Amino acid sequence: MRRGQTARWVAGAALAATGLLLPAARAGDGRTEIAPADFAALPYTYTITQPGSYVLTDTVRFTKELAHGIMVVADNVTLDLNGFALIGPGANSGYGIFQPATNRNLTVRNGSITGWKGVLYGGLQLDGFGNRAERVQVSENYYGMTLGPGALAKDCVACSNSLDGIRLDQDSLLIGCRAANNGSSGISADDAGVLVDCEVRANAAGISASWQSVVKGCVAEDNAGHGIFAGMGSVISMDVPPYVTVS
């Protein structure tokens, strides 16, 4: 794939990041709805303090500066963006969605997070253990997506973020994700990460995997630095090791 094809691939990823390519789900079934008016009624951040399922009902344009969009301080939460976008205020933002390291088991799915450009902040920052990101697009943030240890990211897209597109802590699994036009690594994984069927194109660097990682079936092209780098004891192959289950 040459640069013209890469540009079209990036354009497609950017369109996906608007949420237009994701079918909207219906709220209900005991899920707590989060509407744009709920953000307008708060002085700063919308905070989830109880376990359960939450669903966004429309795109939110967050105008408050120096604040996170959504903060999750409960375990066992599912947050469905429902095909909509969480749009930040730009350079003076906090995180789009933030979870501290003291919490765990948060799933964020089905939507886009863009415009969270505050220095050292970013679109999706989940610091706890055992979190999941599924079909989430992060674009034009400072950092795109950062997941704590033991995480799973599946079918996610990261494009045009100022630094890393997707960052994973140790013992995490990344399946079918794409990263393009990010200002640092497209995908960065800490020790013992497993990356399967991912693509990185036109980033400052492609895939950066730490010690004892597995990189299987991934594609790296047109990155300014390395395509795929993996640390000591790692495996780069086209075969899935028998101890890795992809579902």
Side-chain angles (χ1 to χ4, degrees):
M1 183 178 291
R2 301 268 56 89
R3 290 189 181 274
Q5 292 173 295
T6 299
R8 289 192 292 274
W9 181 88
V10 172
L15 180 60
T18 66
L20 296 177
L21 301 185
L22 294 170
R26 297 184 65 181
D29 299 325
R31 296 190 292 176
T32 299
E33 295 185 350
I34 304 174
D38 296 325
F39 291 84
L42 296 170
Y44 291 105
T45 299
Y46 184 96
T47 303
I48 294 174
T49 61
Q50 298 295 322
S53 295
Y54 297 78
V55 58
L56 202 63
T57 64
D58 204 343
T59 289
V60 176
R61 296 182 179 275
F62 198 83
T63 60
K64 302 178 179 69
E65 296 184 343
L66 303 177
H68 310 318
I70 297 175
M71 183 163 65
V72 181
V73 292
D75 297 341
N76 306 315
V77 169
T78 297
L79 176 56
D80 188 349
L81 300 180
N82 200 19
F84 297 114
L86 191 61
I87 302 173
N92 293 321
S93 75
Y95 295 115
I97 300 174
F98 174 66
Q99 176 213 47
T102 51
N103 295 107
R104 58 190 296 158
N105 298 337
L106 168 61
T107 296
V108 179
R109 59 166 61 111
N110 297 339
S112 63
I113 306 169
T114 186
W116 301 86
K117 296 182 178 181
V119 174
L120 301 181
Y121 291 99
L124 182 65
Q125 180 83 21
L126 309 183
D127 290 336
F129 179 82
N131 299 309
R132 300 170 66 104
E134 302 170 347
R135 299 178 300 279
V136 175
Q137 294 80 34
V138 287
S139 63
E140 298 185 1
N141 305 292
Y142 194 79
Y143 286 104
M145 173 188 304
T146 302
L147 303 179
L152 168 65
K154 186 175 181 181
D155 299 329
C156 294
V157 173
C159 59
S160 302
N161 298 287
S162 299
L163 292 181
D164 293 342
I166 299 174
R167 299 192 298 172
L168 300 173
D169 208 333
Q170 63 187 18
D171 300 314
S172 292
L173 175 60
L174 191 73
I175 304 172
C177 294
R178 299 182 293 169
N181 276 356
N182 296 288
S184 188
S185 292
I187 297 172
S188 176
D190 209 340
D191 295 352
V194 177
L195 287 69
V196 179
D197 295 339
C198 296
E199 300 179 24
V200 288
R201 305 183 191 276
N203 304 284
I207 291 173
S208 302
S210 192
W211 289 18
Q212 298 180 324
S213 296
V214 174
V215 182
K216 180 267 174 184
C218 295
V219 175
E221 192 167 86
D222 290 338
N223 298 288
H226 60 259
I228 298 175
F229 171 84
M232 186 179 298
S234 297
V235 176
I236 301 175
S237 77
M238 296 303 294
D239 299 315
V240 180
Y243 56 84
V244 176
T245 300
V246 178
S247 62

